[in-house]
Amino acid sequence: MTPAYQDAVAVEATTAGQAWGEVFGRAMTAVAGCFARSAARATAAELITGLLLELDTRNCWTLAQALGHPGPHRLQRPFPRARFDAGQAQVETVRLVAGELAGQEAVLVVDGTGGAESSTDCVGAGRQYPGAIGGVGLCQAAVHLATVTATTKVITDRALYLPADWAAEEERREAAGVAERTGFAAKPQQALAMAADAHGTGTEARWFAGDEVYCGRGDCAGPYARRVSAMRPVSRLRTRSLPGRAAAGRPAN
């Protein structure tokens, strides 16, 4: 490895680090008003920085060590009492992404995922097939929306899927902290509602892409085309033209 090559690598790494710092700074500035206290905002920035580090295990202890703290208390202490408007933070993040990607041809891509749970007390948990666990099992499921361009992929929204039995049981919902206004919505409805929100906050996307769960039913009826070459490995990918705001209403989370 020649000195010239080493210098070029160092310059590239420095440039990438500066670019990341600028983007991260803009992101934290965008959501600054969503924190009631500046201390919680600073701790959140540290925590996110730690989560993005290359570590074998990620918990408050390992993150604290990597960030130079003697223990995890600095990362743990503010959050049980911190006030944070997650909904507004999501809106501000979408606006930021829309601004960063302005002028690029974007596609809204939807997909679902889930995680195994050990108890039905966990909100939305039930016997479902989320794909991630390789079969039907007790799990939570969620729908995610990403904005994708030729150079960028950013998850910009999410919605927890609340099964019909959960939506129908008032006491169970109350015990789990589910908002009273939240009702049952099928996953395609959740996806189109998120697409509508993305358009409403400035995302420029003419196409909506997903597999047969989201683009193969009456909820998403309309013209389809195989338009996203990067998604060819996905079975039966379909895309839908989005001439304007999507029609489906979005249930509150």
Side-chain angles (χ1 to χ4, degrees):
M1 186 179 295
T2 65
Y5 178 78
Q6 291 178 323
D7 290 343
V9 170
V11 170
E12 184 176 349
T14 300
T15 302
Q18 291 173 342
W20 159 247
E22 292 173 0
V23 172
F24 185 62
R26 289 197 294 273
M28 291 306 301
T29 299
V31 301
C34 302
F35 292 88
R37 297 181 59 196
S38 59
R41 183 173 69 247
T43 301
E46 271 200 306
L47 186 60
I48 295 170
T49 300
L51 288 171
L52 293 172
L53 296 175
E54 294 292 334
L55 301 175
D56 293 334
T57 303
R58 290 178 176 85
N59 55 48
C60 282
W61 276 101
T62 60
L63 297 184
Q65 290 175 345
L67 293 168
H69 301 310
H73 309 294
R74 179 183 175 90
L75 301 180
Q76 292 174 329
R77 189 176 299 122
F79 293 108
R81 301 186 300 274
R83 287 183 292 168
F84 175 66
D85 189 338
Q88 187 60 35
Q90 189 273 328
V91 170
E92 297 300 335
T93 301
V94 173
R95 287 176 177 160
L96 175 67
V97 171
E100 294 285 334
L101 302 182
Q104 299 186 44
E105 186 173 353
V107 176
L108 296 177
V109 180
V110 65
D111 198 10
T113 188
E117 296 293 343
S118 59
S119 170
T120 56
D121 292 336
C122 187
V123 62
R127 289 190 60 77
Q128 307 175 69
Y129 180 79
I133 65 174
V136 176
L138 180 61
C139 61
Q140 280 183 317
V143 181
H144 292 80
L145 186 75
T147 303
V148 179
T149 70
T151 59
T152 306
K153 304 171 187 174
V154 185
I155 295 176
T156 51
D157 206 350
R158 76 284 176 263
L160 177 68
Y161 174 68
L162 196 67
D165 59 332
W166 263 92
E169 296 183 28
E170 184 176 348
E171 291 185 4
R172 190 182 190 189
R173 290 155 46 99
E174 185 177 355
V178 178
E180 185 177 352
R181 64 184 181 279
T182 303
F184 172 74
K187 292 177 182 178
Q189 292 175 310
Q190 291 180 305
L192 285 182
M194 287 191 288
D197 287 349
H199 273 242
T201 49
T203 300
E204 300 174 1
R206 293 182 55 245
W207 294 92
F208 173 91
D211 63 17
E212 63 271 17
V213 173
Y214 302 97
C215 292
R217 300 182 179 182
D219 305 88
C220 296
Y224 301 109
R226 294 179 180 273
R227 297 274 300 193
V228 192
S229 59
M231 290 296 185
R232 283 176 185 166
V234 178
S235 174
R236 296 177 61 191
L237 179 87
R238 300 165 184 253
T239 59
R240 179 187 180 183
S241 176
L242 291 175
R245 290 178 61 88
R250 180 180 181 183
N253 289 322

